[in-house]
Amino acid sequence: MLHFDPATTSGSAVASLFRVWCSLRDADPGRRPAAAELAGAVEEMFAELGLDLDGPPAQVEPPRSGEVFTVFGLKYDHEDALLIAGVVPGEHAPSAVELDGDEFRFSRWVDTFHAESGNTAARAARAQVERGDC
């Protein structure tokens, strides 16, 4: 069950959104705020909280355990197999997208993983390719 506490940061944000809803409702007594008005207010609140409105949903996920690793490799085009070329600490996958292109029967492959070690990240990458999740 949710608990509302306006003394917390999240409670203050909910209270602020509720005040906006009330002001939209009170602009014309007896009516409910239009969905577009409320959606605009929510978007504005998200932007004020520093969320990237065009960003990925992952920006609001709780932090995971372990570190971030980027795994680089070659994916064999004729079966679900990945040859690991390297594992680098940090999130470098977005900058590696420029490497798009094919080698003879192989595709360049890169993805980012949260893992306890580089070896664990490499195993997760291989498992992802073997499952066909990429």
Side-chain angles (χ1 to χ4, degrees):
M1 172 178 254
L2 294 175
H3 174 71
F4 174 67
D5 182 358
T8 64
T9 304
S10 57
S12 175
V14 170
S16 175
L17 182 59
F18 183 73
R19 283 191 291 277
V20 168
W21 183 82
C22 289
S23 70
L24 292 171
R25 182 194 60 196
D26 294 342
D28 184 12
R31 81 169 181 94
R32 293 176 61 126
E37 291 175 307
L38 195 52
V42 169
E43 282 185 5
E44 191 175 300
M45 182 179 155
F46 288 159
E48 288 175 4
L49 289 171
L51 297 172
D52 179 4
L53 298 176
D54 296 321
Q59 66 183 314
V60 295
E61 291 179 6
R64 300 178 190 177
S65 64
E67 299 177 51
V68 176
F69 293 94
T70 301
V71 179
F72 296 88
L74 290 173
K75 182 179 176 284
Y76 186 54
D77 292 334
H78 299 291
E79 63 181 71
D80 294 330
L82 180 66
L83 302 173
I84 304 295
V87 179
V88 180
E91 187 166 355
H92 303 286
S95 60
V97 172
E98 297 173 14
L99 295 176
D100 192 28
D102 289 336
E103 302 295 330
F104 184 67
R105 295 188 210 163
F106 289 91
S107 296
R108 295 175 186 167
W109 188 93
V110 62
D111 205 348
T112 302
F113 294 87
H114 288 267
E116 298 299 322
S117 69
N119 288 333
T120 305
R123 284 193 295 276
R126 281 192 190 100
Q128 177 178 311
V129 170
E130 288 169 3
R131 287 190 311 267
D133 293 344
C134 55

